[in-house]
């Protein structure tokens, strides 16, 4: 859509949706002012614009430069229409924010449902058609979770493909930059535009979206986790997952029901430990200074890392390296691993239990094990709420993840569904 069309939709619907914390009017453009439009999670720097980070006190009141991902999209002809809500300091999967407010999941105009986090506003903006794509960050599922429960595509690369420069960290060992869009092709092309070397040896060559979208998925082998090994899963999510596996077979993908050598849930605790430990070291001075105006649940999560010594973290990193080697060796027999993205659909925000993190139960493994992943819509529950299918690939193999995601999308029956926004006008 054109920037003018995006701004018109934002003015029409975002008063209630609250996807955006700041709208760029006129849009922020590169050389081509009529390119596709994108939104920016308010964890990414935009030169001269405060980076709020979901907090009352901005993380940076006036950044000198754009985050590298933002800069590259502008150079590629995208137009930025604004900055979107995030969970405070990106530390939460529900999408709630008691400091500055939470967006409204667009699939239910009557009940304020969780948008998913931490890239909450980015997912809502894309789902509501307020922009063509959006930037998000993913440390334990923060791109894929909101994508799944808002009914859009969320693409998380492996580490090193996209520069983290200008993106405020949560846990540097786990942080990645990802893309959200209404379809796999747009998410993949957006990833291609932000990927590539950044003057650091750890940053990889650019991603070739067109090659990935042409890559044939027929004959590829995926391991699917059996339902009885997924833990507690909502019956509607289970139904749509089984249907999604049948549709993958229709696309020519070879689906094998297999128990992974290490379940996705076994990564949940270790990933959380690294987030708390690294996050506390980065943000403890802010918490000590501004904790009284922060979301109290965010403060509690960070404070869990206060007791973790450097020795504890060193041992956690050593265990992670061993876990990665073992899981990567197991996954080498398959092209991908599939599961539901989230075990439940979006609950009402009033019913959210902040002491639990079910939405990230199946997503954290991708960060802990450093695997690329994508969440693709796979249907609606009986209540009309979206559910996502998660596809995790072998290390550094974003191409196969995109190829399988695109093949599934063609047979998914989703066909670009969008929420009824009449209740948000």
């Amino acid at each position: 859509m054109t920037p003018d069309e995006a701004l018109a939709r934002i003015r029409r619907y975002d008063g209630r949706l609250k996807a955006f914390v700041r709208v760029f009017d006129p849009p922020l453009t590169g050389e081509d002012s009529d390119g596709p439009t994108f939104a920016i999670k308010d964890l990414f720097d935009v030169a001269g614009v405060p980076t709020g980070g979901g907090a009352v006190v901005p993380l940076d009141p006036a950044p000198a430069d754009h985050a590298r991902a933002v800069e590259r999209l502008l150079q590629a002809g995208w137009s930025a229409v604004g900055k979107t809500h995030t969970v405070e300091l990106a530390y939460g999967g529900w999408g709630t924010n008691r400091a500055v407010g939470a967006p409204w999941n667009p699939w239910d105009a009557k009940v304020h449902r969780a948008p998913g986090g931490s890239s909450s506003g980015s997912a809502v903006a894309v789902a509501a058609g307020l922009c063509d794509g959006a930037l998000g960050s993913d440390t334990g599922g923060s791109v894929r979770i909101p994508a799944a429960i808002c009914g859009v595509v969320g693409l998380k690369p492996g580490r090193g493909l996209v520069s983290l420069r200008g993106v405020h960290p949560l846990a540097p060992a786990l942080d990645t930059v990802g893309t959200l869009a209404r379809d796999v092709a747009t998410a993949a092309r957006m990833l291609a535009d932000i990927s590539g070397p950044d003057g650091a040896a750890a940053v990889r060559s650019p991603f070739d979206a067109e090659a990935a979208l042409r890559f044939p998925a027929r004959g590829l082998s995926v391991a699917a986790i059996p339902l009885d090994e997924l833990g507690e899963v909502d019956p509607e999510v289970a139904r749509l997952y089984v249907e999604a596996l049948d549709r993958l077979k229709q696309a020519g993908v070879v689906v094998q029901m297999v128990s992974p050598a290490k379940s996705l849930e076994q990564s949940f605790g270790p990933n959380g430990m690294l987030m708390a430990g690294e996050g506390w070291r980065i943000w403890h001075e802010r918490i000590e200074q501004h904790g009284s105006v922060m979301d109290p649940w965010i403060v509690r999560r960070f404070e869990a890392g206060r007791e973790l010594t450097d020795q504890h973290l060193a041992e956690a990193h050593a265990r992670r390296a061993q876990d990665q080697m073992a899981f990567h060796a197991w996954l080498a027999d398959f092209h991908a691993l599939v599961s539901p993205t989230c075990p439940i659909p979006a609950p009402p925000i009033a019913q959210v239990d902040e002491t639990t993190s079910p939405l990230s139960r199946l997503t954290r493994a991708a960060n802990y094990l450093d695997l690329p992943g994508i969440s693709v819509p796979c249907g609606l529950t009986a209540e009309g709420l979206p559910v996502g299918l998660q596809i995790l690939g072998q290390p550094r193999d974003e191409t196969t993840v995109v190829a399988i995601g695109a093949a599934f999308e063609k047979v998914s029956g989703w066909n670009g569904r969008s929420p009824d926004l009449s209740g948000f006008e």
Side-chain angles (χ1 to χ4, degrees):
M1 71 182 71
T2 68
D4 286 345
E5 291 170 337
L7 289 175
R9 287 185 65 84
I10 292 169
R11 286 191 288 268
R12 183 175 180 181
Y13 297 115
D14 200 50
R16 251 191 98 204
L17 286 170
K18 292 181 168 50
F20 287 87
V21 294
R22 182 181 298 268
V23 178
F24 300 152
D25 189 3
L28 185 63
T29 61
E31 296 181 4
D32 181 3
S33 59
D34 292 321
T37 57
F38 75 105
I40 304 163
K41 182 178 184 177
D42 199 19
L43 201 69
F44 292 66
D45 285 341
V46 173
V49 176
T51 304
V56 173
V57 180
L59 307 187
D60 190 333
D65 302 299
H66 297 324
R68 183 51 56 91
V70 172
E71 180 182 17
R72 283 185 163 157
L73 283 179
L74 294 172
Q75 291 172 344
W78 292 73
S79 296
V81 293
K83 300 196 78 177
T84 53
H85 271 284
T86 174
V87 174
E88 190 167 9
L89 298 178
Y91 203 174
W94 291 112
T96 53
N97 188 317
R98 286 163 178 77
V100 298
W104 193 296
N105 191 311
W107 288 88
D108 191 337
K110 295 180 179 179
V111 178
H112 189 180
R113 292 184 178 271
S118 63
S119 306
S120 52
S122 289
V124 171
V126 172
L130 309 184
C131 53
D132 294 304
L135 288 173
S137 62
D138 192 312
T139 308
S142 288
V143 164
R144 291 158 290 144
I145 291 168
I149 67 173
C150 285
V152 299
V153 174
L155 177 56
K156 171 216 166 298
R159 286 177 52 77
L161 185 64
V162 179
S163 171
L164 290 165
R165 186 183 302 183
V167 184
H168 292 260
L170 171 55
L174 304 166
D175 293 341
T176 54
V177 169
T179 59
L180 299 98
R182 291 282 296 280
D183 56 72
V184 174
T186 302
R189 289 169 179 146
M190 195 175 189
L191 179 62
D193 285 340
I194 63 175
S195 66
D198 188 34
V203 178
R204 296 149 51 194
S205 299
F207 174 61
D208 189 337
E210 303 310 318
L213 293 167
R214 291 193 304 267
F215 192 82
R218 182 169 295 277
L220 296 181
S221 173
V222 304
I225 301 178
L227 268 178
D228 60 4
E229 296 191 25
L230 285 170
E232 188 174 348
V233 175
D234 180 271
E236 284 291 280
V237 173
R239 175 181 65 82
L240 291 167
Y241 174 55
V242 172
E243 291 179 5
L245 297 182
D246 288 339
R247 289 194 165 118
L248 272 174
K249 295 174 185 176
Q250 293 172 20
V253 176
V254 179
V255 177
Q256 302 181 56
M257 306 304 293
V258 180
S259 303
K262 182 182 180 69
S263 76
L264 300 191
E265 281 193 77
Q266 285 179 283
S267 297
F268 183 87
N271 196 85
M273 177 181 175
L274 289 172
M275 280 195 284
E278 294 194 346
W280 175 255
R281 282 158 173 75
I282 294 168
W283 295 114
H284 68 93
E285 290 183 1
R286 162 173 279 266
I287 293 166
E288 290 162 355
Q289 185 175 1
H290 302 298
S292 62
V293 294
M294 292 179 63
D295 186 321
W297 288 105
I298 301 301
V299 173
R300 291 183 193 185
R301 289 174 196 144
F302 279 112
E303 286 180 340
R306 181 165 48 192
E307 305 305 319
L308 296 173
T309 66
D310 290 345
Q311 180 64 26
H312 287 144
L313 280 182
E315 291 171 355
H317 283 294
R319 284 195 302 271
R320 182 190 182 206
Q322 294 173 354
D323 289 342
Q324 285 184 354
M325 288 181 60
F327 196 89
H328 295 175
W330 174 85
L331 190 58
D333 291 334
F334 305 94
H335 292 98
L337 172 66
V338 298
S339 73
T341 307
C342 301
I344 60 173
I349 275 190
Q351 296 177 14
V352 164
D353 180 356
E354 294 282 7
T355 66
T356 64
S357 303
L359 293 178
S360 63
R361 186 159 58 80
L362 301 175
T363 59
R364 286 190 185 181
N367 304 83
Y368 183 71
L369 301 170
D370 193 13
L371 305 174
I374 193 169
S375 179
V376 184
C378 64
L380 297 174
T381 68
E383 285 189 278
L385 301 174
V387 170
L389 177 71
Q390 177 176 245
I391 304 165
L392 302 182
Q394 293 187 19
R396 298 193 168 205
D397 190 6
E398 290 81 10
T399 294
T400 298
V401 165
V402 167
I404 295 174
F408 173 75
E409 184 178 65
K410 292 176 182 176
V411 299
S412 67
W414 184 255
N415 298 325
R417 290 179 187 170
S418 59
D420 177 5
L421 298 182
S422 58
F424 292 98
E425 294 185 85

